[in-house]
Amino acid sequence: MIKINKGKRFQQAVDAVEEFLRRAKGKDQTPSHSSADDKNRRNSSEERSRPNSGDEKRKLSLSEGKVKKNMGEGKKRVSSGSSERGSKSPLKRAQEQSPRKRGRPPKDEKDLTIPESSTVKGVMAGPMAAFKWQPTVSEPVKDADPHFHHFLLSQTEKPAVCYQAITKKLKICEEETGSTSIQAADSTAVNGSITPTDKKIGFLGLGLMGSGIVSNLLKMGHTVTVWNRTAEKCDLFIQEGARLGRTPAEVVSTCDITFACVSDPKAAKDLVLGPSGVLQGIRPGKCYVDMSTVDADTVTELAQVIVSRGGRFLEAPVSGNQQLSNDGMLVILAAGDRGLYEDCSSCFQAMGKTSFFLGEVGNAAKMMLIVNMVQGSFMATIAEGLTLAQVTGQSQQTLLDILNQGQLASIFLDQKCQNILQGNFKPDFYLKYIQKDLRLAIALGDAVNHPTPMAAAANEVYKRAKALDQSDNDMSAVYRAYIH
């Protein structure tokens, strides 16, 4: 287990399990058996021949994971998935589940591994069902190289899946579909335990999201060169240790990997194709990562021109808001050059809590638009509910209290409702950008002849809010479209 990734109590639990195993190894040197059936036969015969041997009972309990209260119970077989598991503490279960359970030979103490806590597991539903967090068995990583160095663990129950342990706090689950997810065990931007890449990093665009990303890259020790259309925004980061690039082309030509995060498809194209743009700095081996939320056609076009010059391309739009960006807790959706995705490992750890590799260019753009379509529609529904409560004489605060006690409870719900109740619409995610994403998501549906009536209705409400000069306010200002 990579203990630096876990909390203090988790480390104490692991230490307790390891101490138990050390003691058990000293007491129990009985050779393992070739199969579970051999174990069961030996179990029954030893109990009949030595019914009063407490030492043998303890050895059998360790090798078979059974609990014996009397002689009658010694002949019962206890399933690892039975109610016994529910009645024991997690530590006790870990103690009774020997590493030799499946007939493996005894291992040296240094090779003993402990199954990871079930609290790490998580399963995403709906369109994200392909990505499942699975238990991972990890070994301490000795190599300080920040890139991906991993080993494979076979999983006989699920031959389509393999698990890979990756340096410095990463868990990876790869399925036969080719999609991959990477998750930092904690907020790496908070605990500061990232080994930064030795590659030179460039960053173009210091808006709400870009500013937080660059700040975390610098905090984690990356060498960063920045550029922004409004040069004054670079000053703060220069003070924090960043270097200044005069043009996008200069940044790309002097850096190994250049990230960009701009507002919309037009801005993304202008940044690459415009005067002194990214394309002019691309040479064979140069890497470009576009983190803007744009449509699949735009990102595909940019990928083609970058690759045509010998460059490497990755799209990596981010899900989150200004606060999550500042906290290094974004979710990164990536697609394109798999090798470049791996090269960005330490950067993604610094800026986010999770990243997904979704395959070919365009997939991340589509997924990001779907995610924001759901988010934008939900925000419009929240605003609609609060205004309906007001006009029918119900307390908006009470409505929020009820929602926070139910299945819809979330940080997003609470924060956006608080914005509305306090009349504070300081931008955390610009209203104009969520409306842009709704528009692009509707177009995505049109392209495949898929209806998006809920998104279309929400889009009209946001358009009305924009007409009321709410574009540069937070998306929660959509509330004002209902009260004017």
PDB file of all heavy atoms in Angstrom, residues 321-324 327 375 379 382 400 404 410-422 424-425 428 474 476:
ATOM      1  N   ASN A 321     -15.402  24.194 -11.639  1.00  0.00           N
ATOM      2  CA  ASN A 321     -15.630  25.640 -11.597  1.00  0.00           C
ATOM      3  C   ASN A 321     -14.383  26.320 -11.038  1.00  0.00           C
ATOM      4  O   ASN A 321     -13.353  25.663 -10.831  1.00  0.00           O
ATOM      5  CB  ASN A 321     -16.862  25.975 -10.751  1.00  0.00           C
ATOM      6  CG  ASN A 321     -16.788  25.348  -9.363  1.00  0.00           C
ATOM      7  OD1 ASN A 321     -15.715  25.192  -8.783  1.00  0.00           O
ATOM      8  ND2 ASN A 321     -17.933  24.962  -8.819  1.00  0.00           N
ATOM      9  N   GLN A 322     -14.473  27.603 -10.799  1.00  0.00           N
ATOM     10  CA  GLN A 322     -13.301  28.341 -10.341  1.00  0.00           C
ATOM     11  C   GLN A 322     -12.787  27.802  -9.005  1.00  0.00           C
ATOM     12  O   GLN A 322     -11.571  27.647  -8.825  1.00  0.00           O
ATOM     13  CB  GLN A 322     -13.635  29.831 -10.209  1.00  0.00           C
ATOM     14  CG  GLN A 322     -12.429  30.683  -9.802  1.00  0.00           C
ATOM     15  CD  GLN A 322     -12.792  32.147  -9.629  1.00  0.00           C
ATOM     16  OE1 GLN A 322     -13.918  32.481  -9.282  1.00  0.00           O
ATOM     17  NE2 GLN A 322     -11.832  33.022  -9.879  1.00  0.00           N
ATOM     18  N   GLN A 323     -13.691  27.503  -8.085  1.00  0.00           N
ATOM     19  CA  GLN A 323     -13.267  27.019  -6.777  1.00  0.00           C
ATOM     20  C   GLN A 323     -12.548  25.678  -6.891  1.00  0.00           C
ATOM     21  O   GLN A 323     -11.498  25.458  -6.278  1.00  0.00           O
ATOM     22  CB  GLN A 323     -14.484  26.888  -5.849  1.00  0.00           C
ATOM     23  CG  GLN A 323     -14.121  26.523  -4.409  1.00  0.00           C
ATOM     24  CD  GLN A 323     -13.236  27.567  -3.763  1.00  0.00           C
ATOM     25  OE1 GLN A 323     -13.542  28.750  -3.766  1.00  0.00           O
ATOM     26  NE2 GLN A 323     -12.090  27.140  -3.209  1.00  0.00           N
ATOM     27  N   LEU A 324     -13.103  24.771  -7.679  1.00  0.00           N
ATOM     28  CA  LEU A 324     -12.467  23.462  -7.857  1.00  0.00           C
ATOM     29  C   LEU A 324     -11.129  23.602  -8.577  1.00  0.00           C
ATOM     30  O   LEU A 324     -10.189  22.847  -8.302  1.00  0.00           O
ATOM     31  CB  LEU A 324     -13.396  22.533  -8.634  1.00  0.00           C
ATOM     32  CG  LEU A 324     -14.688  22.124  -7.910  1.00  0.00           C
ATOM     33  CD1 LEU A 324     -15.567  21.273  -8.817  1.00  0.00           C
ATOM     34  CD2 LEU A 324     -14.359  21.355  -6.634  1.00  0.00           C
ATOM     35  N   ASP A 327      -8.666  24.713  -6.044  1.00  0.00           N
ATOM     36  CA  ASP A 327      -8.379  23.647  -5.081  1.00  0.00           C
ATOM     37  C   ASP A 327      -7.650  22.460  -5.704  1.00  0.00           C
ATOM     38  O   ASP A 327      -7.299  21.509  -4.997  1.00  0.00           O
ATOM     39  CB  ASP A 327      -9.682  23.142  -4.443  1.00  0.00           C
ATOM     40  CG  ASP A 327     -10.344  24.199  -3.569  1.00  0.00           C
ATOM     41  OD1 ASP A 327      -9.650  25.169  -3.185  1.00  0.00           O
ATOM     42  OD2 ASP A 327     -11.542  24.060  -3.266  1.00  0.00           O
ATOM     43  N   GLN A 375     -25.570  19.596 -16.319  1.00  0.00           N
ATOM     44  CA  GLN A 375     -25.365  20.601 -15.273  1.00  0.00           C
ATOM     45  C   GLN A 375     -26.189  21.863 -15.533  1.00  0.00           C
ATOM     46  O   GLN A 375     -26.833  22.396 -14.616  1.00  0.00           O
ATOM     47  CB  GLN A 375     -23.882  20.937 -15.178  1.00  0.00           C
ATOM     48  CG  GLN A 375     -23.534  21.877 -14.036  1.00  0.00           C
ATOM     49  CD  GLN A 375     -22.049  22.159 -13.978  1.00  0.00           C
ATOM     50  OE1 GLN A 375     -21.348  22.100 -14.987  1.00  0.00           O
ATOM     51  NE2 GLN A 375     -21.542  22.477 -12.807  1.00  0.00           N
ATOM     52  N   MET A 379     -29.314  23.383 -13.289  1.00  0.00           N
ATOM     53  CA  MET A 379     -29.298  24.724 -12.710  1.00  0.00           C
ATOM     54  C   MET A 379     -30.572  25.489 -13.070  1.00  0.00           C
ATOM     55  O   MET A 379     -31.159  26.177 -12.221  1.00  0.00           O
ATOM     56  CB  MET A 379     -28.061  25.473 -13.225  1.00  0.00           C
ATOM     57  CG  MET A 379     -27.896  26.896 -12.661  1.00  0.00           C
ATOM     58  SD  MET A 379     -27.578  26.956 -10.899  1.00  0.00           S
ATOM     59  CE  MET A 379     -29.137  27.601 -10.279  1.00  0.00           C
ATOM     60  N   ILE A 382     -33.356  24.211 -10.874  1.00  0.00           N
ATOM     61  CA  ILE A 382     -33.249  24.741  -9.507  1.00  0.00           C
ATOM     62  C   ILE A 382     -33.850  26.147  -9.454  1.00  0.00           C
ATOM     63  O   ILE A 382     -34.643  26.477  -8.554  1.00  0.00           O
ATOM     64  CB  ILE A 382     -31.778  24.782  -9.062  1.00  0.00           C
ATOM     65  CG1 ILE A 382     -31.226  23.358  -8.909  1.00  0.00           C
ATOM     66  CG2 ILE A 382     -31.637  25.548  -7.748  1.00  0.00           C
ATOM     67  CD1 ILE A 382     -29.722  23.324  -8.670  1.00  0.00           C
ATOM     68  N   LEU A 400     -34.815  24.748   0.137  1.00  0.00           N
ATOM     69  CA  LEU A 400     -33.407  24.336   0.091  1.00  0.00           C
ATOM     70  C   LEU A 400     -33.104  23.328   1.198  1.00  0.00           C
ATOM     71  O   LEU A 400     -32.420  22.323   0.968  1.00  0.00           O
ATOM     72  CB  LEU A 400     -32.498  25.555   0.229  1.00  0.00           C
ATOM     73  CG  LEU A 400     -30.995  25.267   0.362  1.00  0.00           C
ATOM     74  CD1 LEU A 400     -30.499  24.451  -0.829  1.00  0.00           C
ATOM     75  CD2 LEU A 400     -30.204  26.557   0.494  1.00  0.00           C
ATOM     76  N   ASN A 404     -31.760  19.584   0.588  1.00  0.00           N
ATOM     77  CA  ASN A 404     -30.480  19.170   1.157  1.00  0.00           C
ATOM     78  C   ASN A 404     -30.605  17.928   2.033  1.00  0.00           C
ATOM     79  O   ASN A 404     -29.580  17.321   2.385  1.00  0.00           O
ATOM     80  CB  ASN A 404     -29.860  20.307   1.972  1.00  0.00           C
ATOM     81  CG  ASN A 404     -29.102  21.284   1.096  1.00  0.00           C
ATOM     82  OD1 ASN A 404     -28.659  20.941   0.006  1.00  0.00           O
ATOM     83  ND2 ASN A 404     -28.965  22.522   1.560  1.00  0.00           N
ATOM     84  N   SER A 410     -26.364  18.004  -2.714  1.00  0.00           N
ATOM     85  CA  SER A 410     -25.020  18.063  -3.297  1.00  0.00           C
ATOM     86  C   SER A 410     -24.420  19.426  -3.002  1.00  0.00           C
ATOM     87  O   SER A 410     -25.141  20.384  -2.678  1.00  0.00           O
ATOM     88  CB  SER A 410     -25.069  17.833  -4.809  1.00  0.00           C
ATOM     89  OG  SER A 410     -25.762  18.886  -5.452  1.00  0.00           O
ATOM     90  N   ILE A 411     -23.109  19.520  -3.129  1.00  0.00           N
ATOM     91  CA  ILE A 411     -22.430  20.810  -2.948  1.00  0.00           C
ATOM     92  C   ILE A 411     -22.916  21.801  -3.997  1.00  0.00           C
ATOM     93  O   ILE A 411     -23.151  22.974  -3.705  1.00  0.00           O
ATOM     94  CB  ILE A 411     -20.903  20.621  -3.034  1.00  0.00           C
ATOM     95  CG1 ILE A 411     -20.416  19.754  -1.875  1.00  0.00           C
ATOM     96  CG2 ILE A 411     -20.194  21.972  -3.032  1.00  0.00           C
ATOM     97  CD1 ILE A 411     -18.947  19.406  -1.947  1.00  0.00           C
ATOM     98  N   PHE A 412     -23.067  21.314  -5.220  1.00  0.00           N
ATOM     99  CA  PHE A 412     -23.519  22.185  -6.312  1.00  0.00           C
ATOM    100  C   PHE A 412     -24.889  22.782  -5.987  1.00  0.00           C
ATOM    101  O   PHE A 412     -25.096  23.999  -6.103  1.00  0.00           O
ATOM    102  CB  PHE A 412     -23.594  21.373  -7.607  1.00  0.00           C
ATOM    103  CG  PHE A 412     -24.101  22.149  -8.797  1.00  0.00           C
ATOM    104  CD1 PHE A 412     -23.249  22.956  -9.533  1.00  0.00           C
ATOM    105  CD2 PHE A 412     -25.433  22.072  -9.182  1.00  0.00           C
ATOM    106  CE1 PHE A 412     -23.709  23.669 -10.635  1.00  0.00           C
ATOM    107  CE2 PHE A 412     -25.904  22.782 -10.274  1.00  0.00           C
ATOM    108  CZ  PHE A 412     -25.041  23.585 -11.006  1.00  0.00           C
ATOM    109  N   LEU A 413     -25.829  21.939  -5.583  1.00  0.00           N
ATOM    110  CA  LEU A 413     -27.176  22.405  -5.250  1.00  0.00           C
ATOM    111  C   LEU A 413     -27.140  23.454  -4.152  1.00  0.00           C
ATOM    112  O   LEU A 413     -27.755  24.529  -4.278  1.00  0.00           O
ATOM    113  CB  LEU A 413     -28.046  21.212  -4.825  1.00  0.00           C
ATOM    114  CG  LEU A 413     -29.432  21.548  -4.263  1.00  0.00           C
ATOM    115  CD1 LEU A 413     -30.340  22.057  -5.364  1.00  0.00           C
ATOM    116  CD2 LEU A 413     -30.052  20.336  -3.573  1.00  0.00           C
ATOM    117  N   ASP A 414     -26.415  23.169  -3.089  1.00  0.00           N
ATOM    118  CA  ASP A 414     -26.384  24.089  -1.949  1.00  0.00           C
ATOM    119  C   ASP A 414     -25.738  25.423  -2.333  1.00  0.00           C
ATOM    120  O   ASP A 414     -26.267  26.491  -2.004  1.00  0.00           O
ATOM    121  CB  ASP A 414     -25.621  23.437  -0.797  1.00  0.00           C
ATOM    122  CG  ASP A 414     -25.675  24.289   0.463  1.00  0.00           C
ATOM    123  OD1 ASP A 414     -26.777  24.503   0.994  1.00  0.00           O
ATOM    124  OD2 ASP A 414     -24.608  24.765   0.918  1.00  0.00           O
ATOM    125  N   GLN A 415     -24.615  25.357  -3.036  1.00  0.00           N
ATOM    126  CA  GLN A 415     -23.914  26.598  -3.387  1.00  0.00           C
ATOM    127  C   GLN A 415     -24.745  27.481  -4.309  1.00  0.00           C
ATOM    128  O   GLN A 415     -24.825  28.698  -4.112  1.00  0.00           O
ATOM    129  CB  GLN A 415     -22.575  26.264  -4.051  1.00  0.00           C
ATOM    130  CG  GLN A 415     -21.529  25.727  -3.088  1.00  0.00           C
ATOM    131  CD  GLN A 415     -20.219  25.418  -3.776  1.00  0.00           C
ATOM    132  OE1 GLN A 415     -20.157  25.276  -5.005  1.00  0.00           O
ATOM    133  NE2 GLN A 415     -19.150  25.289  -3.010  1.00  0.00           N
ATOM    134  N   LYS A 416     -25.351  26.875  -5.310  1.00  0.00           N
ATOM    135  CA  LYS A 416     -26.119  27.678  -6.261  1.00  0.00           C
ATOM    136  C   LYS A 416     -27.387  28.246  -5.626  1.00  0.00           C
ATOM    137  O   LYS A 416     -27.784  29.388  -5.918  1.00  0.00           O
ATOM    138  CB  LYS A 416     -26.463  26.848  -7.504  1.00  0.00           C
ATOM    139  CG  LYS A 416     -25.243  26.366  -8.282  1.00  0.00           C
ATOM    140  CD  LYS A 416     -24.283  27.507  -8.616  1.00  0.00           C
ATOM    141  CE  LYS A 416     -23.058  27.036  -9.364  1.00  0.00           C
ATOM    142  NZ  LYS A 416     -22.077  28.127  -9.588  1.00  0.00           N
ATOM    143  N   CYS A 417     -28.020  27.484  -4.761  1.00  0.00           N
ATOM    144  CA  CYS A 417     -29.202  28.012  -4.062  1.00  0.00           C
ATOM    145  C   CYS A 417     -28.806  29.151  -3.124  1.00  0.00           C
ATOM    146  O   CYS A 417     -29.526  30.153  -3.010  1.00  0.00           O
ATOM    147  CB  CYS A 417     -29.889  26.901  -3.273  1.00  0.00           C
ATOM    148  SG  CYS A 417     -30.840  25.751  -4.284  1.00  0.00           S
ATOM    149  N   GLN A 418     -27.670  28.998  -2.448  1.00  0.00           N
ATOM    150  CA  GLN A 418     -27.194  30.068  -1.575  1.00  0.00           C
ATOM    151  C   GLN A 418     -26.901  31.337  -2.373  1.00  0.00           C
ATOM    152  O   GLN A 418     -27.191  32.447  -1.918  1.00  0.00           O
ATOM    153  CB  GLN A 418     -25.930  29.616  -0.825  1.00  0.00           C
ATOM    154  CG  GLN A 418     -26.154  28.512   0.198  1.00  0.00           C
ATOM    155  CD  GLN A 418     -27.011  28.948   1.370  1.00  0.00           C
ATOM    156  OE1 GLN A 418     -27.299  30.135   1.556  1.00  0.00           O
ATOM    157  NE2 GLN A 418     -27.456  27.993   2.160  1.00  0.00           N
ATOM    158  N   ASN A 419     -26.331  31.168  -3.578  1.00  0.00           N
ATOM    159  CA  ASN A 419     -26.109  32.336  -4.442  1.00  0.00           C
ATOM    160  C   ASN A 419     -27.409  33.082  -4.684  1.00  0.00           C
ATOM    161  O   ASN A 419     -27.479  34.315  -4.611  1.00  0.00           O
ATOM    162  CB  ASN A 419     -25.537  31.887  -5.792  1.00  0.00           C
ATOM    163  CG  ASN A 419     -24.087  31.453  -5.708  1.00  0.00           C
ATOM    164  OD1 ASN A 419     -23.443  31.612  -4.684  1.00  0.00           O
ATOM    165  ND2 ASN A 419     -23.588  30.893  -6.790  1.00  0.00           N
ATOM    166  N   ILE A 420     -28.450  32.324  -5.001  1.00  0.00           N
ATOM    167  CA  ILE A 420     -29.750  32.926  -5.319  1.00  0.00           C
ATOM    168  C   ILE A 420     -30.366  33.575  -4.087  1.00  0.00           C
ATOM    169  O   ILE A 420     -30.853  34.720  -4.142  1.00  0.00           O
ATOM    170  CB  ILE A 420     -30.690  31.855  -5.903  1.00  0.00           C
ATOM    171  CG1 ILE A 420     -30.169  31.411  -7.287  1.00  0.00           C
ATOM    172  CG2 ILE A 420     -32.119  32.370  -6.001  1.00  0.00           C
ATOM    173  CD1 ILE A 420     -30.896  30.224  -7.872  1.00  0.00           C
ATOM    174  N   LEU A 421     -30.334  32.880  -2.953  1.00  0.00           N
ATOM    175  CA  LEU A 421     -30.952  33.416  -1.730  1.00  0.00           C
ATOM    176  C   LEU A 421     -30.233  34.674  -1.248  1.00  0.00           C
ATOM    177  O   LEU A 421     -30.849  35.580  -0.693  1.00  0.00           O
ATOM    178  CB  LEU A 421     -30.947  32.347  -0.630  1.00  0.00           C
ATOM    179  CG  LEU A 421     -31.805  31.102  -0.893  1.00  0.00           C
ATOM    180  CD1 LEU A 421     -31.688  30.117   0.263  1.00  0.00           C
ATOM    181  CD2 LEU A 421     -33.263  31.488  -1.106  1.00  0.00           C
ATOM    182  N   GLN A 422     -28.903  34.745  -1.475  1.00  0.00           N
ATOM    183  CA  GLN A 422     -28.129  35.895  -1.032  1.00  0.00           C
ATOM    184  C   GLN A 422     -28.022  36.976  -2.103  1.00  0.00           C
ATOM    185  O   GLN A 422     -27.503  38.068  -1.830  1.00  0.00           O
ATOM    186  CB  GLN A 422     -26.726  35.437  -0.629  1.00  0.00           C
ATOM    187  CG  GLN A 422     -26.706  34.478   0.553  1.00  0.00           C
ATOM    188  CD  GLN A 422     -25.336  33.838   0.764  1.00  0.00           C
ATOM    189  OE1 GLN A 422     -24.349  34.268   0.172  1.00  0.00           O
ATOM    190  NE2 GLN A 422     -25.291  32.811   1.591  1.00  0.00           N
ATOM    191  N   ASN A 424     -26.085  36.863  -4.608  1.00  0.00           N
ATOM    192  CA  ASN A 424     -24.661  36.983  -4.931  1.00  0.00           C
ATOM    193  C   ASN A 424     -24.359  36.140  -6.174  1.00  0.00           C
ATOM    194  O   ASN A 424     -24.331  34.911  -6.113  1.00  0.00           O
ATOM    195  CB  ASN A 424     -23.815  36.496  -3.757  1.00  0.00           C
ATOM    196  CG  ASN A 424     -22.324  36.517  -4.074  1.00  0.00           C
ATOM    197  OD1 ASN A 424     -21.893  37.165  -5.027  1.00  0.00           O
ATOM    198  ND2 ASN A 424     -21.549  35.800  -3.277  1.00  0.00           N
ATOM    199  N   PHE A 425     -24.135  36.804  -7.292  1.00  0.00           N
ATOM    200  CA  PHE A 425     -23.905  36.088  -8.543  1.00  0.00           C
ATOM    201  C   PHE A 425     -22.489  36.310  -9.076  1.00  0.00           C
ATOM    202  O   PHE A 425     -22.267  36.336 -10.293  1.00  0.00           O
ATOM    203  CB  PHE A 425     -24.948  36.524  -9.582  1.00  0.00           C
ATOM    204  CG  PHE A 425     -26.360  36.222  -9.149  1.00  0.00           C
ATOM    205  CD1 PHE A 425     -27.221  37.248  -8.786  1.00  0.00           C
ATOM    206  CD2 PHE A 425     -26.811  34.918  -9.086  1.00  0.00           C
ATOM    207  CE1 PHE A 425     -28.516  36.967  -8.374  1.00  0.00           C
ATOM    208  CE2 PHE A 425     -28.101  34.623  -8.682  1.00  0.00           C
ATOM    209  CZ  PHE A 425     -28.964  35.650  -8.324  1.00  0.00           C
ATOM    210  N   ASP A 428     -18.564  31.976 -10.782  1.00  0.00           N
ATOM    211  CA  ASP A 428     -17.769  30.793 -10.485  1.00  0.00           C
ATOM    212  C   ASP A 428     -17.717  29.930 -11.750  1.00  0.00           C
ATOM    213  O   ASP A 428     -16.799  29.159 -11.958  1.00  0.00           O
ATOM    214  CB  ASP A 428     -18.408  30.010  -9.335  1.00  0.00           C
ATOM    215  CG  ASP A 428     -17.463  28.979  -8.754  1.00  0.00           C
ATOM    216  OD1 ASP A 428     -16.273  29.288  -8.587  1.00  0.00           O
ATOM    217  OD2 ASP A 428     -17.907  27.854  -8.479  1.00  0.00           O
ATOM    218  N   ASP A 474     -22.513  34.591 -12.620  1.00  0.00           N
ATOM    219  CA  ASP A 474     -22.493  33.139 -12.452  1.00  0.00           C
ATOM    220  C   ASP A 474     -23.720  32.510 -13.113  1.00  0.00           C
ATOM    221  O   ASP A 474     -24.753  33.167 -13.286  1.00  0.00           O
ATOM    222  CB  ASP A 474     -22.479  32.798 -10.961  1.00  0.00           C
ATOM    223  CG  ASP A 474     -22.312  31.315 -10.708  1.00  0.00           C
ATOM    224  OD1 ASP A 474     -21.207  30.796 -10.943  1.00  0.00           O
ATOM    225  OD2 ASP A 474     -23.299  30.666 -10.312  1.00  0.00           O
ATOM    226  N   SER A 476     -25.854  30.700 -11.929  1.00  0.00           N
ATOM    227  CA  SER A 476     -27.031  30.753 -11.053  1.00  0.00           C
ATOM    228  C   SER A 476     -27.871  32.001 -11.300  1.00  0.00           C
ATOM    229  O   SER A 476     -29.042  32.064 -10.893  1.00  0.00           O
ATOM    230  CB  SER A 476     -26.617  30.691  -9.580  1.00  0.00           C
ATOM    231  OG  SER A 476     -25.642  31.681  -9.286  1.00  0.00           O
TER     232      SER A 476
END
